[in-house]
Amino acid sequence: MLAGIRNLPPVPFIMVEISKLLDNPRTGAADLGKIISKDQAMVAKILSVANSPLYGLPRRVSTIEFAIVILGFDQIKNIVIAFSMMEAFRTKEDRRWNRRSYWVHSLMVASAAKRIADDLGIRKSGEAFTAGLLHDLGISVIQKYFNDDFQKINNLVEQQQMRFINAEEKILGISHQEIGKYLIEKWNLPSALGEAILYHHQPSLAEEEKKLAAVVHLADYMTQRFQIGGFNWDESIDLDLGVIEILQLGDESYLESLIESYHELFKVNLESLNL
């Protein structure tokens, strides 16, 4: 079904150019900044994220060159990949699709996943941001390329009080997580991202990237728990308690205190996002 979509967007030019630059050991911050600066919307997004409280940088970042120095090449690459994919699969708003709500949710989960990964000492915090931003990309694909099915899914949810994830599988035979993983493979991005996206509702089922899936799951759950940056397709999301063992959090009591410790930060972060 997905392979039959003839007009799936190609890999964006900026991603190709950045990959080429990073393959060259002589590339400096100015070289990378020059490429990214060709897309001022991308520059604005990177600076907005870098300066958000959840991202956790100790000082304000005002230029893309400084952002590259502070964040490092790998972090910048992860951010550009994530934003490029989000933009490539951008959809039109309609009665049942609040594009702004989807963007805010994706940004909140991305920033929170990175912060949680950093706080817990998980090395792949940059990939946590990317996976967080792209975790629901499959939903926008359903809305854009399978809109009739998108409407049927919404009808099922409204008429039978069915969860979105169950309605997706009933109508399409696959979930938005599986679609997201397919897109990661289609664009030849790291398999770790695909697995984290595939299991972001149930990280306990992940085989290789349990930690990455777990931090995205926690961030996703927090948006619903706090009702800050939430998205309607995630309503009634269940917390996978397997994150306790995966992230070595001790017990449910400690997990609860950890979750609550982010509540105020979520509030401040939502106010700071410049969309």
Side-chain angles (χ1 to χ4, degrees), residues 127-143:
E127 289 189 0
F129 178 90
T130 309
L133 195 67
L134 301 178
H135 76 288
D136 279 342
L137 186 64
I139 302 175
S140 67
V141 171
I142 296 171
Q143 195 269 347

Side-chain angles (χ1 to χ4, degrees), residues 94-99 101-102 105 135-144 146-158 162-172 174-177 179 200-201 220 223-224 229-238:
D94 65 29
R95 182 174 66 88
R96 284 171 158 170
W97 180 254
N98 186 325
R99 192 171 67 196
S101 177
Y102 169 73
H105 174 65
H135 76 288
D136 279 342
L137 186 64
I139 302 175
S140 67
V141 171
I142 296 171
Q143 195 269 347
K144 184 172 184 175
F146 305 101
N147 196 261
D148 287 345
D149 291 323
F150 175 81
Q151 302 302 334
K152 290 176 184 176
I153 290 168
N154 277 276
N155 288 339
L156 267 183
V157 171
E158 292 169 6
M162 186 180 290
R163 291 186 178 187
F164 277 99
I165 186 70
N166 296 331
E168 289 171 18
E169 291 170 346
K170 185 174 179 64
I171 297 297
L172 293 169
I174 57 174
S175 67
H176 68 272
Q177 296 104 300
I179 294 173
H200 75 265
H201 279 287
D220 197 21
T223 63
Q224 302 302 315
F231 190 55
N232 65 327
W233 281 57
D234 277 337
E235 287 174 1
S236 303
I237 184 174
D238 292 323

